[in-house]
Amino acid sequence: MEQKLLKDALAYGKLRWKVHPVHGFDDNMNCTCGRGHKDTKDSGKHPVLDKWNELSSSDEYDIKKWWEQNPRYNIALHCS
């Protein structure tokens, strides 16, 4: 599953779509942020990056760097 997320994020980047990581879930279905979000509206989908709107990227290096930090991050697309 984790490799698919990175592969998909890179595919979006190749389309020149800006992506940024959002938190995913661990094996116990807790949010990867580590703050105990479970079964809340923010679980597994709030931004990892503080300034995601400025840091969103289609660059392969950036995308690989983010998903190497945590391969369970979900993918968000920056639409603007």
Side-chain angles (χ1 to χ4, degrees):
M1 172 73 164
E2 289 89 9
Q3 287 296 329
K4 182 172 177 6
L5 291 168
L6 172 58
K7 182 180 172 184
D8 290 346
L10 290 169
Y12 291 134
K14 286 183 181 181
L15 293 170
R16 299 230 180 261
W17 294 0
K18 289 187 175 185
V19 303
H20 64 93
V22 293
H23 286 284
F25 295 100
D26 65 16
D27 290 334
N28 296 316
M29 294 305 293
N30 290 306
C31 188
T32 57
C33 71
R35 291 183 285 183
H37 291 158
K38 187 174 184 177
D39 299 326
T40 68
K41 66 178 183 162
D42 290 336
S43 294
K45 59 184 174 185
H46 57 99
V48 170
L49 307 171
D50 287 334
K51 296 182 178 183
W52 65 266
N53 55 331
E54 296 173 19
L55 299 173
S56 298
S57 178
S58 59
D59 184 77
E60 181 178 344
Y61 173 81
D62 292 334
I63 295 168
K64 284 182 177 179
K65 178 180 65 173
W66 294 327
W67 270 267
E68 285 173 1
Q69 291 173 10
N70 190 330
R72 291 193 175 190
Y73 285 155
N74 283 324
I75 303 165
L77 301 176
H78 184 167
C79 303
S80 63

